[in-house]
Amino acid sequence: MPMIPPHPSHERRPSRAILLAAAALAAMAVASGGAHGEDVVRQVLPGAQPPVAPQQLAREKAPDQSEIERFCSNIADAARDRRYALQAEELKQLQAGIDERMKALDAKKAEYETWLKRREVFLARAEDGVVKIYAGMKPDAAAERLAIVNADLAAAILMKLDSRKAGVILNEMDQKAAATLTGIMASAARRVDPS
């Protein structure tokens, strides 16, 4: 293939890269020269805000103490109200917890009062006259009769008897009946809440 000699017009034409570099240098020279001068022309797009001059930025003053105090006084009421609302909410939660505990204590008190009334009724069943009758009986006869009577009543009678006499009567009883009566008497004699 024959070689074509380079065209003389290609050698004289500057390359695009060189042209671009020259244009960039010229633009920088204009920009640096215009930055020092007062007559800088800036292009503003339609609808855009005009640029703020550096002198205007420097002229704006920092907020003084009175403006800060006014701002703080303006938000003080809102901050106080919010703090009060948080405290009120916390107090409501604490009150709900106290109310719940009070209900539990009331339920426990009612349960204790019921137990105490049962105990008093139990002890009142054994009247003094009946107790005197059983106190005068022979232990084996008293044991036989008390084994037939209601267990609560028998236990109440035995509790009102002299402890020595009650022991002799329990000794004469059947083992199961004596154990039942002893359990009832022990629970009735307890001075603290059984629960």
Side-chain angles (χ1 to χ4, degrees):
M1 225 189 223
M3 196 130 176
I4 301 174
H7 195 273
S9 63
H10 286 324
E11 291 175 4
R12 289 187 194 146
R13 192 180 310 164
S15 70
R16 285 186 184 174
I18 294 175
L19 284 176
L20 285 174
L25 285 174
M28 287 187 349
V30 169
S32 66
H36 297 295
E38 295 293 325
D39 300 330
V40 176
V41 176
R42 294 190 178 166
Q43 179 180 4
V44 177
L45 298 175
Q49 294 179 352
V52 179
Q55 291 88 13
Q56 288 178 341
L57 290 176
R59 278 187 234 138
E60 289 182 10
K61 62 179 182 176
D64 61 352
Q65 189 65 23
S66 64
E67 289 180 22
I68 294 171
E69 289 173 0
R70 275 197 326 258
F71 174 77
C72 290
S73 66
N74 287 340
I75 67 164
D77 291 337
R80 188 180 318 111
D81 291 343
R82 179 66 180 147
R83 187 171 50 248
Y84 289 158
L86 289 174
Q87 289 174 348
E89 183 63 31
E90 185 177 349
L91 286 175
K92 284 180 185 177
Q93 290 175 354
L94 290 173
Q95 184 64 40
I98 289 172
D99 290 343
E100 188 176 314
R101 289 181 182 172
M102 289 295 291
K103 286 179 184 176
L105 283 174
D106 288 342
K108 198 69 162 169
K109 179 182 174 186
E111 182 182 336
Y112 181 74
E113 287 174 353
T114 303
W115 178 82
L116 190 60
K117 285 178 186 175
R118 275 195 339 234
R119 183 175 184 268
E120 289 172 0
V121 167
F122 171 75
L123 291 175
R125 282 185 182 169
E127 296 179 12
D128 288 334
V130 176
V131 172
K132 286 180 183 177
I133 292 172
Y134 278 95
M137 292 176 76
K138 291 184 180 179
D140 57 340
E144 186 180 325
R145 304 305 184 278
L146 286 176
I148 300 170
V149 176
N150 181 348
D152 290 338
L153 180 60
I157 292 170
L158 285 172
M159 283 185 70
K160 290 219 172 179
L161 286 174
D162 178 49
S163 59
R164 180 175 291 222
K165 180 76 171 180
V168 173
I169 292 173
L170 281 173
N171 191 33
E172 294 291 328
M173 280 188 164
D174 178 51
Q175 287 181 351
K176 282 188 177 182
T180 303
L181 292 176
T182 304
I184 292 171
M185 289 187 313
S187 67
R190 196 177 317 151
R191 299 214 184 273
V192 292
D193 186 1
S195 55

